[in-house]
Amino acid sequence: MLPQRIEPAPERPDNEVQTLVDELYERYRSLTRGEVATYIPELARMPPDKFAISLVAASGQTFDAGDNDQAFTIQSISKPLTFGMAVEAFGRDEVLRHVSVEPSGDVFNSIELQDGTNRPFNPMVNTGAIAITALLHHRYGDEALECILERLSAAAGRPLTIDQAVYESERRTGHRNRAIAHLLLNFGLMEYDAEAALDLYFKQCSILVTCRDLATIAATLSNMGCNPLTGASTYEVASVRDILSIMFTCGMYDYSGNWAFRVGVPAKSGVGGGVMAVVNRQIGIATFSPRLDSHGNSCRGIEVCVELASRLGLHAFDCLNAGSSYLGTIL
Ligand code: DON
């Protein structure tokens, strides 16, 4: 059961943030660079020009522009969320025994493991994400999909479902991910039944969200794991820290360094066209636009976030971000 939705703070049409969101939506509508993902055949059916921007503040205020009701599959944006679930279920040390936390600098579906330990580089690339999903499958068995759906639904503030057609399309064509699962099995990073864990991974990637859902999930992470629109406690404070750390260093794949430089907040993208970014203790940001660049990141999503960060001073090392207020009280 999801908790009752708390009435969000009323939107103010003349609000400065809403004006900026409208402005960015108008400006970047004309950016048509990039291609819709086709390697999962069903994804190619997404109309390429759909575009949405959504912000949900930790205080509950919401700001939207564009196709905010358009549903699309969450894809890799599920990865930090299942990682957080695994950290809570197994503890950080046990999770780290299976997956490292080092940026790979390689494409998301690269078939490689770290020298020495044979662990996946991090939970944001497919090797690491599949290892995490296998852990969840091992713990929850047949209930695992329900557990993932419940957790993501609590973070989004409404019940989420999977897109059956995308799931079947990925299951039919996911040979590379199948190879990854068997590699993990070979190195003992997956206990058993690679097919069942893979099936769960394909399903978690096929969860349907809207841009507003992603912004609400981001706001939940920004609000120490508590959904600001429903009041639901969704993630533990300690696991939120782990989730955001991984998103900051590895969330945008082999563009993560550029992203940290240009935007400066933790983020995660998916090949469905979503980008989710978190401004700690302040606001969740999401964009949706399915045209992707060569890294698999949404072209419009990157430009909107770069400009939002610059106009609102969101970068973690912006001179206006003055550091720990806690330290301020004890120094
Ligand atoms: O593993 C896959 O191929 C997809 N289901 C998820 C990949 C993804 O979203 C990568 N993102 N940029």
Side-chain angles (χ1 to χ4, degrees), residues 39-40 75-76 79 108 126 170 177 201 205 253 269-271 296:
Y39 77 100
I40 301 171
Q75 297 296 339
S76 285
K79 292 172 180 174
F108 67 86
N126 286 11
E170 188 164 353
N177 285 333
Y201 173 73
C205 290
Y253 302 113
S269 64
V271 291

Side-chain angles (χ1 to χ4, degrees), residues 257-311:
N258 268 286
W259 177 276
F261 193 78
R262 297 182 75 198
V263 185
V265 299
K268 186 74 203 80
S269 64
V271 291
V275 174
M276 163 177 104
V278 178
V279 184
N280 199 29
R281 309 293 294 272
Q282 287 191 323
I283 201 163
I285 299 171
T287 60
F288 166 60
S289 170
R291 291 185 194 270
L292 310 178
D293 64 16
S294 59
H295 305 283
N297 296 324
S298 166
C299 293
R300 280 175 175 152
I302 288 182
E303 296 313 319
V304 168
C305 290
V306 166
E307 190 155 349
L308 271 174
S310 142
R311 300 272 292 270

Side-chain angles (χ1 to χ4, degrees), residues 49-128:
D49 293 322
K50 292 285 178 189
F51 183 28
I53 305 174
S54 187
L55 272 58
V56 175
S59 60
Q61 275 177 293
T62 59
F63 311 94
D64 298 302
D67 302 308
N68 267 287
D69 295 330
Q70 174 70 49
F72 55 96
T73 52
I74 190 166
Q75 297 296 339
S76 285
I77 302 170
S78 61
K79 292 172 180 174
L81 304 170
T82 48
F83 169 67
M85 289 177 68
V87 167
E88 290 178 14
F90 292 89
R92 188 190 278 164
D93 292 345
E94 179 62 8
V95 170
L96 289 182
R97 240 175 32 79
H98 290 77
V99 186
S100 182
V101 288
E102 208 55 61
S104 71
D106 263 316
V107 291
F108 67 86
N109 56 5
S110 154
I111 301 187
E112 60 179 351
L113 298 172
Q114 250 186 351
D115 283 348
T117 67
N118 289 323
R119 286 173 305 166
F121 275 83
N122 66 70
M124 303 295 103
V125 288
N126 286 11
T127 44

